[in-house]
Amino acid sequence: MAWRLYALELSRLEGTAGEALSGATAWEEGYPASFQPLEEPWEARRAHPKPWPEPLYFVDGRERVEAVLSDGRRLALLGCVAAGAVVYRQGSMRLLETRVRRVGVGLEETLRLGELVYEPLPLEGGAEPVSPLALQEGLGKARALLEEELSGELEGGLLVVDGPVRLRRRGPVLGYIKTHWARYLPEVREALLFTLKPGERTPMFKVRRKGQELASWYLRLPLPPEGVRPPESGLLRVETPLQGDFGALADLSLSLFPALASHPVKDSRAPQNLLPVGGLERELSRRMGRREVVARILARYQDSFSADLGGG
Amino acid sequence: MERIGVVLGRREATPLEFWVGVEGEGLLRLDDLVVVEGFHPKVGKVRYFGMVDLVAKAHEGESFDTDVFLAVEGKIPVSLAYVAHVSVTRIVPEEFFPPDPGSAVYLAREEDLELALYYDAMKNQRGSTKLPVGFLKSGEVAYLNLEFLNGVKGGHVNISGISGVAAKTSYATFLLKSLLESGVLEEAHQARVLLFNVKGEDLLFLDKPNLRLSEEARRDYQKLGLSPEPFRSVAFMAPPKKGEGGILPDVETRLEGVKAYHWDLVQFAQKGLLPFLFTDKGALTNLGFLVAHVTEKLRRLAEGQKGPHLLVADWPEGELPEDITFDDLGRVRLKSFADLVRYLEYKLLGPETKEGEGDRTWTARQARGTLEAFVRRLRSSVENVGHLVRGDRKGNPPDPLEGGEQVHVVDLAKLSPQAQMFVVGSLLSDLFAKKERGQYRGRVFVVLDELNKYAPRDEESPIKDVLLDIAERGRSLGVILIGAQQTASEVERRVVGNAAIRVVGRLDAAEAERPEYRYLPTSFRQRALILPQGMVILHQPEIPVPLLVRFPFPAWATKREEVLEDNSAEALRREFF
């Protein structure tokens, strides 16, 4: 049974809903059933400016589908995941490390195509025909693993991760969520979100996810120029594990995030896409190699797919 | 070898130019020389030598100009890119394929530097022809191939640059110093130099040590293999002061050791110097013929005469001005240039008192208008050259090939443009004629500033022909022209075009864009606008890129204040007794 190159992009597959795949993760379990505030009263809060802790790490990752293979029954996905860290130390932001890995979701053996090496990442129930959605999820998991691996090696300081806090770390961690699919607040409390001014936050409340207890709060980023905006613009939800002095972190977040908010002129995802993370993302996509070049290599090697895989 | 970076892959690398990414703490500046090794299985190892002609730094990871503020505040990660563009000067062996991106780039030092600048090719059967001409940016000695200067493969030097930044004259004299003293020029003791001092009196102190010469400059000279001393064997000549019977040299700052030069009437006639008085002989077609004719008549007239005065037999008594006298043989004695002009007027136009006709053997059947134009021009030149061409004293014209001195400085600064032209033209044509006849074996270097005046591009000049002759045939005869001017674009193309070595000091922005400087790469043309004192861009035929050269501070004084006074007992004794 031989693999052959089926497509270079997932969205070209019939029957896949590109939108459903393109970003929303199913991590966040919606509330509002068990809303549990950690601070009272329920009103906007401000904090005095605080110096940033050093070192201050930012970790982010990217994933990219590079090809879809088919052997007639099953699908496999060749993709690339990357994770990187930048550190703020002594007044400058420096790129710390980037890791790039190519994975073959649904493959059982390593696939070598010229200089590209795809490590196998078997899916559960590998013998069954798999859906593109499951392949995409597999790739996402590979990226999460890489991010976790990278952040596990960062010592001391405060770690800021893009997205919810999934990893476990000894030091303090802040996760920030840019888009809000899930609702955490009961309707009466939600009203406060719309009255938040830049640099203000809501009181903390408790979030429980997969056995992890977290403190979370919303804060409003500055979004110049000020004007009429949709109510959720510039709104960031921040969370941190419910341990240590999470209250201080909440106050610190008011000094940290608004200062790092990006400008709408420069970033279409402003202001929530933080400046260092935006830079890191550009760097990561560079390290992943040009899509066109990868596609060309894949096309060149497509005849050798079956030979390399030994008719698995 | 010091590794400085790698060949960039993001930009194209070609056999003639490539980009280098500078790594880490590396420092790569304009004019630095680098070497890269390339390999191809079919050709083998190839080494590329090149010169950096552009360096740039940029933040990578910034997508907007204002991102720099974020980077400074430490809000976005950026990396500093430090790149340099290299123009290849040489490939060894000559296999023109590009180097691989990622190849290591090294700074060229010592042997590599010699290869990069073709120093290894600067030799002939008898030895090295590397003439030291200054320092490279890296502090190493820059050379040029003497064979392109002394006439073997090429000759002549052309120096351009605006005045006042000590480039033209200073560099020309430094070049002479190197030529005469470095020992690279064979039989340097036989070489003669004719220097025209056209501005001020700065060349009149060539034999005096410079007060302001620093220890560092002394070391510079030693590094070049030259002595930090002024020129040893120099003769200075200046025109006499105007006025009655003056034969004192017309100089102000230098009071001893300058001789006055002038021609006597017999020399003027015998050597045929008349045409050098006419700046516009092209204006009237027939005027040129008449000038040639009268010159020839004068030559015949002066045959056998010893001078200084010119004797003529056919000037009737009645019209004699008072100061003209008869000699024993009953001939009239012309005692000044003004007399000669009056005599010529009489010969061409007839007696002044009546509307007569001139002497037919002198007029060469020219129309009266032409004859009158000729006389008008001649009359107006009396004021300009009257003190240079005289009948009262034996002539003493400068002759660089005569006398014991090696360098002859001829001062022109105080002369009128017409007289300057006359002196330069007379000297050069005389010099060239002597070399043509093989009267002097050694090489003669002629330094002439303001070439645009003597060989203008669009106009006629009586000595343009002489200069063209020197430029085109001089190198085979051993007459080398070191010409200088502010703007090469205004000099006759054939004069500039014949110069093998081109030197550029600081240029005016508009001038730098003219086609005369196209041989300079863009980056050098831009830099020519900001060249500091003591720096020139030197271009020679063998090396495909120009070199930026620093030359040492003059070891000789360039004005009175710089003269290092010799107050030793011996000197004082000489002065007072």
Side-chain angles (χ1 to χ4, degrees), chain A residues 52 86 88 91-95 259-260 265-267 275-276 279-280 282-283 286, chain B residues 60-79:
Chain A
W52 295 0
V86 288
Y88 175 83
S92 78
M93 194 72 76
R94 245 174 0 96
L95 187 69
L260 293 174
V265 166
K266 298 181 182 181
D267 194 333
L275 288 169
L280 178 61
R282 272 199 298 278
E283 185 66 21
R286 234 157 40 78
Chain B
E60 279 180 337
E62 280 186 9
S63 34
F64 294 88
D65 290 338
T66 45
D67 282 355
V68 71
F69 300 114
L70 300 173
V72 169
E73 288 165 28
K75 288 181 180 171
I76 52 170
V78 289
S79 49

Side-chain angles (χ1 to χ4, degrees), chain B residues 237 260-264 267 271 394-400 427 430:
Chain B
M237 310 209 71
Y261 64 86
H262 63 269
W263 285 262
D264 62 40
Q267 283 168 333
K271 292 187 175 177
K394 189 88 187 124
N396 176 34
D399 187 347
L427 287 185
D430 191 44

Side-chain angles (χ1 to χ4, degrees), chain B residues 428-500:
Chain B
L428 290 186
S429 70
D430 191 44
L431 177 77
F432 203 60
K434 279 187 181 152
K435 287 293 286 179
E436 257 181 330
R437 289 197 298 270
Q439 279 184 7
Y440 191 82
R441 270 195 61 223
R443 293 187 197 284
V444 182
F445 296 93
V446 178
V447 181
L448 181 58
D449 199 353
E450 301 194 15
L451 266 190
N452 49 323
K453 206 150 95 187
Y454 301 104
R457 167 157 294 184
D458 305 316
E459 293 154 53
E460 270 298 314
S461 138
I463 66 166
K464 192 167 166 180
D465 300 341
V466 184
L467 283 171
L468 267 177
D469 225 19
I470 293 182
E472 287 172 349
R473 297 195 302 133
R475 77 178 181 91
S476 54
L477 292 171
V479 182
I480 306 298
L481 178 69
I482 302 179
Q485 69 283 317
Q486 286 203 31
T487 49
S489 60
E490 282 163 22
V491 180
E492 168 65 38
R493 226 169 256 144
R494 284 148 68 201
V495 173
V496 179
N498 268 297

Side-chain angles (χ1 to χ4, degrees), chain B residues 159-169 199 485-487 504-509 511 517 528-529 531:
Chain B
I159 308 176
S160 313
I162 59 173
S163 52
V165 287
K168 286 179 303 196
T169 320
K199 267 185 308 242
Q485 69 283 317
Q486 286 203 31
T487 49
V504 170
R506 191 190 292 183
L507 290 182
D508 168 70
E511 177 69 12
Y517 303 96
L529 310 184
L531 275 184

Side-chain angles (χ1 to χ4, degrees), chain B residues 277-309:
Chain B
L277 287 175
F278 289 83
T279 47
D280 59 345
K281 58 184 168 160
L284 290 165
T285 335
N286 292 330
L287 196 63
F289 296 131
L290 186 61
V291 169
H293 181 77
V294 174
T295 307
E296 192 48 41
K297 287 296 282 183
L298 280 174
R299 204 196 299 272
R300 245 181 274 160
L301 182 69
E303 252 172 44
Q305 296 201 31
K306 288 220 171 104
H309 45 265

Side-chain angles (χ1 to χ4, degrees), chain A residues 30-297:
Chain A
Y31 168 98
S34 61
F35 177 71
Q36 210 180 324
L38 293 170
E39 282 176 306
E40 287 292 350
W42 189 252
E43 59 186 25
R45 284 165 186 270
R46 296 184 154 271
H48 291 292
K50 287 189 178 178
W52 295 0
E54 287 190 17
L56 176 62
Y57 299 105
F58 294 83
V59 167
D60 193 20
R62 281 190 86 110
E63 58 195 75
R64 184 171 78 193
V65 177
E66 292 183 338
V68 182
L69 308 183
S70 158
D71 67 352
R73 253 176 357 99
R74 291 173 307 164
L75 288 174
L77 181 148
L78 301 185
C80 185
V81 290
V86 288
V87 63
Y88 175 83
R89 200 180 273 148
Q90 288 160 2
S92 78
M93 194 72 76
R94 245 174 0 96
L95 187 69
L96 211 55
E97 196 183 353
T98 54
R99 285 181 197 182
V100 178
R101 239 166 246 174
R102 301 206 130 75
V103 291
V105 188
L107 291 182
E108 274 121 33
E109 284 169 59
T110 305
L111 179 59
R112 285 173 196 280
L113 304 166
E115 54 259 54
L116 304 180
V117 179
Y118 291 93
E119 286 161 18
L121 189 81
L123 284 175
E124 296 129 33
E128 300 300 310
V130 285
S131 73
L133 193 66
L135 290 174
Q136 178 87 16
E137 260 177 36
L139 192 63
K141 265 182 204 155
R143 175 185 63 110
L145 274 174
L146 199 60
E147 281 177 37
E148 205 165 325
E149 182 188 313
L150 193 66
S151 33
E153 290 166 22
L154 303 174
E155 290 188 359
L158 172 64
L159 174 66
V160 180
V161 292
D162 187 5
V165 177
R166 298 180 291 262
L167 42 98
R168 298 190 188 276
R169 184 178 191 265
R170 196 163 293 168
V173 186
L174 281 178
Y176 66 94
I177 293 91
K178 298 188 285 263
T179 42
H180 313 291
W181 303 97
R183 293 176 65 184
Y184 288 84
L185 304 179
E187 267 175 59
V188 278
R189 306 272 172 128
E190 253 182 357
L192 180 61
L193 292 185
F194 308 133
T195 60
L196 275 185
K197 294 201 177 60
E200 289 180 346
R201 66 172 177 90
T202 63
M204 291 180 280
F205 51 90
K206 201 187 252 178
V207 171
R208 199 171 282 116
R209 184 169 59 229
K210 292 193 175 162
Q212 202 182 359
E213 292 217 311
L214 302 149
S216 181
W217 60 95
Y218 287 90
L219 64 83
R220 173 88 65 188
L221 297 173
L223 180 55
E226 304 288 341
V228 183
R229 305 263 182 208
E232 61 277 6
S233 63
L235 211 54
L236 201 64
R237 189 172 69 77
V238 187
E239 59 182 34
T240 182
L242 201 56
Q243 62 191 23
D245 193 0
F246 54 86
L249 283 179
D251 284 345
L252 172 68
S253 72
L254 290 180
S255 303
L256 193 61
F257 291 107
L260 293 174
S262 51
H263 195 281
V265 166
K266 298 181 182 181
D267 194 333
S268 57
R269 289 188 289 165
Q272 285 96 329
N273 204 34
L274 301 184
L275 288 169
V277 175
L280 178 61
E281 281 177 351
R282 272 199 298 278
E283 185 66 21
L284 286 179
S285 55
R286 234 157 40 78
R287 300 274 170 114
M288 287 159 91
R290 286 262 205 129
R291 218 201 138 73
E292 293 84 348
V293 177
V294 172
R296 238 185 281 164
I297 296 175

